Amino acid sequence: MAWDGVRPHLPRKILSHDAMTAHGISFNFVRESVQTPTDWGFEEDRHVFVVHLDGVLDRMECVFTSGTASDRLPKVGDIWIVPASERYAALAEGGAVAYCEMTVPTQMLGDRALEPAIGHRDP
């Protein structure tokens, strides 16, 4: 079960991390070992987009405060969308994975409403 806010987070093993900011958008390129169960979570005042870049997970469970939930495994290029103020929690396990977290200030998207998305594909 994904992190519910009650149990402590499981430890993370970050293998590499590169960060940059351009035009107000923050980019975090992360490679992480998830050979043991690993918690991921967001609750930001900015929108977060996570793009899966590499690696295979054996299992992943995730849930948003809105009730959206899934056990869908990411494929390279899949995008997770976490709207500002939406809480997202995931529990993942597999090998090494790489992803990019992009945080975007809400004012950059104006009045556009974002919906939580799990493994969104945009060809």
Side-chain angles (χ1 to χ4, degrees):
M1 164 67 64
W3 183 66
D4 60 7
V6 177
R7 71 170 175 76
H9 274 116
L10 296 169
R12 295 179 68 178
K13 186 174 180 183
I14 304 297
L15 302 173
S16 66
H17 176 239
D18 293 303
M20 65 176 282
T21 301
H23 304 285
I25 300 172
S26 298
F27 298 86
N28 288 292
F29 295 91
V30 180
R31 179 166 289 283
E32 182 171 358
S33 173
V34 292
Q35 291 179 332
T36 59
T38 304
D39 281 301
W40 291 325
F42 296 102
E43 187 171 13
E44 304 283 334
D45 61 354
R46 300 162 50 114
H47 303 302
V48 179
F49 300 82
V50 181
V51 180
H52 183 72
L53 300 175
D54 189 29
V56 176
L57 292 175
D58 298 327
R59 70 181 183 109
M60 180 173 157
E61 301 171 40
C62 55
V63 65
F64 289 89
T65 50
S66 64
T68 302
S70 176
D71 61 358
R72 182 181 191 283
L73 297 176
K75 295 178 183 163
V76 171
D78 283 355
I79 303 169
W80 269 242
I81 301 171
V82 184
S85 301
E86 180 83 22
R87 185 170 160 209
Y88 169 84
L91 183 62
E93 188 172 9
V97 294
Y99 51 90
C100 178
E101 297 173 3
M102 297 169 278
T103 56
V104 178
T106 56
Q107 62 270 24
M108 287 187 111
L109 299 181
D111 292 336
R112 285 192 191 129
L114 285 183
E115 295 295 322
I118 298 170
H120 178 73
R121 299 292 292 175
D122 185 356

